[in-house]
Amino acid sequence: MHTDKNRIRTLSGPQLAGFLAEFAETAYPELKAAADANGEPVAAAIERWLGTPAAADAVTLRLDVSFFTDGDFYFDGTDSMLDPGSPLYRKAKIAYRHGTDSEYYEFHLCARGDADACRYAARDLLERLMRNLRTFRPNYVSDDVSRLLAAARDRCLRKTEDEIDYSRNLGGNYEGTGIHIRITRGPACPECALGTRYA
């Protein structure tokens, strides 16, 4: 049986089939017995057995989004933009917070763990911001803000880059509106209270 559980995540084709056959004969019966004894689903025992990515494989993602609206736009549902406990992000620790006042919005997301889980959390926050953008009257700013958010989402999801440092801003009446995404391998972001799930 493989002891390097991070290597298991990279198996495919015949290697994966061989692993699954061996797993079914050796580890699965023990994990099922443990799950039954603890009164939990077998999937939970398997996830615990697989563990989280090794520190060397983990990424840290930080997403900071700020909007100065000049009274022209706002966001509906700021309290429910992101659910840090979503199953999509279970392989990452997520910290999320936001703040608003009459013309200013801030959204901050920190994620540490599996690269895909971290990117999905950022994608979901950016897409919810796009969906919940409202304007007081039809004007060009909604297009500018939507393009800003869509470009950040697309860059965040680009898997050809291991590390990203991306910033974009709006100027003019909306000075103070901007997005910064940083994805790195290595230590966690000291400014993020990772493991604290708050919204």
Side-chain angles (χ1 to χ4, degrees):
M1 197 78 224
H2 289 283
T3 53
D4 180 359
K5 296 181 177 66
N6 287 307
R7 184 171 169 252
I8 292 168
R9 293 179 176 86
T10 67
L11 298 177
S12 63
Q15 290 176 327
L16 181 59
F19 164 76
L20 291 173
E22 187 178 353
F23 177 80
E25 290 178 16
T26 57
Y28 182 80
E30 293 173 23
L31 291 170
K32 181 166 180 8
D36 290 345
N38 293 330
E40 65 182 359
V42 177
I46 292 171
E47 271 192 41
R48 196 170 41 259
W49 179 78
L50 283 171
T52 56
D57 294 332
V59 301
T60 298
L61 179 145
R62 179 167 178 162
L63 170 64
D64 297 301
V65 186
S66 56
F67 298 97
F68 178 70
T69 70
D70 197 29
D72 291 338
F73 64 96
Y74 67 100
F75 294 91
D76 256 352
T78 56
D79 290 334
S80 59
M81 287 289 183
L82 186 75
D83 173 13
S86 167
L88 269 179
Y89 324 136
R90 73 178 179 270
K91 293 183 180 178
K93 290 184 178 178
I94 305 291
Y96 165 69
R97 63 185 168 84
H98 70 277
T100 63
D101 69 22
S102 61
E103 293 188 345
Y104 193 74
Y105 291 81
E106 287 185 318
F107 301 90
H108 304 283
L109 168 71
C110 288
R112 171 103 176 125
D114 177 74
D116 287 340
C118 293
R119 289 173 191 257
Y120 293 153
R123 174 204 63 192
D124 289 352
L125 177 56
L126 292 166
E127 287 183 350
R128 285 189 184 111
L129 286 168
M130 285 188 278
R131 280 196 305 268
N132 293 358
L133 172 64
R134 305 287 184 264
T135 58
F136 290 106
R137 57 190 177 280
N139 65 25
Y140 65 91
V141 73
S142 62
D143 292 338
D144 291 345
V145 172
S146 292
R147 279 193 296 271
L148 182 77
L149 292 166
R153 177 205 55 206
D154 295 346
R155 181 65 186 270
C156 184
L157 291 175
R158 201 180 294 165
K159 293 185 180 183
T160 56
E161 298 175 78
D162 258 3
E163 298 196 354
I164 293 174
D165 195 351
Y166 175 88
S167 293
R168 294 293 181 272
N169 299 291
L170 293 181
N173 290 353
Y174 310 107
E175 190 73 38
T177 294
I179 294 178
H180 183 220
I181 302 171
R182 185 168 184 163
I183 300 176
T184 58
R185 292 201 178 273
C189 173
E191 294 141 24
C192 297
L194 288 176
T196 305
R197 294 181 182 270
Y198 57 97

